[in-house]
Amino acid sequence: MVHVLITMSDIHVKRGDLREWQDAHPDGEERAGIARHWQVGDGALDPNDAPKALHFLEEKVPDVFTSMDRVLIVREAIRDVIEGFDPGIHQFLPLDLNGGENREHPEPYYLMVVSNTQDTIVDALTDSETPSSDPSGTCDAMFLTSITRRVKVTVDHARLGALNLWREERYRRTLMMSDALHDAFRHKGLEFFSSFAAEDFIDAKSA
């Protein structure tokens, strides 16, 4: 079974800003280009370009959350589980959650970059949209009809590789995870991003 992550739901998006990073990169186009690394997995992020601190503006820090700049942020325990399944595959760059009011968050947190892809989604059996700029659907910008709730997603398991966490090749805003990784978080009592199970292509064809 494959699970589709919902990283932009209200329960995961938390208030905070990257003011030092924004000051260091005042050009908006440059910031947008850097942000593509964590937003759509546009290759490995140069650590020199990465944000080093987030002014976290909420009282409780969850195991994982998404900043308003769509940065995926995970605590050390989450990173360790992912590394156990996909060792050395994803980027985890230290991020200081320094609070905005001198609140301290002693446990390490990391900016997570997922750039490895698989092409498993079956378009005809998925609630998705194709950009008007590319009606053939061959670009990497296709998207699900919602990024904040469950929609119909069908996956061809025959096209799955060895990754346990990945972005879809043509749906770069969409993160997926294996059943094994999903169960590992539950077993350890860790809260990962909300998710729902994708439908299997074989089952969908026979329905």
Side-chain angles (χ1 to χ4, degrees):
M1 186 181 297
V2 169
H3 297 262
V4 185
L5 304 187
I6 307 175
T7 59
M8 293 301 294
S9 66
D10 290 342
I11 63 172
H12 292 309
V13 178
K14 303 299 181 183
R15 293 181 300 117
D17 65 73
L18 304 170
R19 63 189 70 169
E20 287 89 357
W21 177 75
Q22 292 168 346
D23 289 343
H25 301 277
D27 183 80
E29 286 191 17
E30 181 193 16
R31 287 201 307 272
I34 296 172
R36 281 184 58 83
H37 293 281
W38 64 71
Q39 292 176 352
V40 295
D42 195 9
L45 174 60
D46 184 340
N48 293 319
D49 290 333
K52 304 297 189 296
L54 174 80
H55 287 255
F56 191 72
L57 301 177
E58 309 216 13
E59 291 294 335
K60 184 178 179 181
V61 188
D63 290 343
V64 299
F65 64 97
T66 305
S67 78
M68 291 184 290
D69 297 282
R70 292 169 59 193
V71 178
L72 303 175
I73 300 164
V74 303
R75 61 181 277 220
E76 188 170 48
I78 295 287
R79 182 203 66 172
D80 292 346
V81 172
I82 295 172
E83 280 289 287
F85 279 83
D86 289 343
I89 298 295
H90 314 293
Q91 270 188 297
F92 296 93
L93 303 173
L95 190 68
D96 177 21
L97 304 188
N98 54 15
E101 299 175 1
N102 297 319
R103 288 191 290 270
E104 294 184 1
H105 307 292
E107 181 175 357
Y109 274 77
Y110 297 88
L111 181 160
M112 181 174 72
V113 178
V114 179
S115 56
N116 290 73
T117 64
Q118 297 188 114
D119 186 9
T120 70
I121 288 181
V122 181
D123 298 341
L125 299 173
T126 294
D127 292 338
S128 63
E129 297 184 21
T130 304
S132 58
S133 59
D134 183 27
S136 66
T138 58
C139 73
D140 66 1
M142 293 182 71
F143 51 93
L144 303 181
T145 53
S146 175
I147 58 173
T148 61
R149 60 179 176 82
R150 177 176 185 147
V151 296
K152 181 180 179 181
V153 177
T154 303
V155 167
D156 185 351
H157 283 66
R159 287 150 56 181
L160 285 171
L163 292 172
N164 288 278
L165 179 65
W166 69 94
R167 289 186 184 275
E168 275 295 307
E169 179 65 33
R170 291 169 301 109
Y171 297 75
R172 299 300 290 266
R173 297 172 179 83
T174 303
L175 284 171
M176 314 276 272
M177 69 175 166
S178 68
D179 198 35
L181 182 57
H182 172 271
D183 290 349
F185 288 129
R186 284 194 169 185
H187 178 72
K188 292 182 178 293
L190 296 170
E191 293 288 337
F192 198 49
F193 292 108
S194 302
S195 66
F196 60 89
E199 296 186 23
D200 182 75
F201 178 49
I202 296 176
D203 294 338
K205 284 199 305 182
S206 61

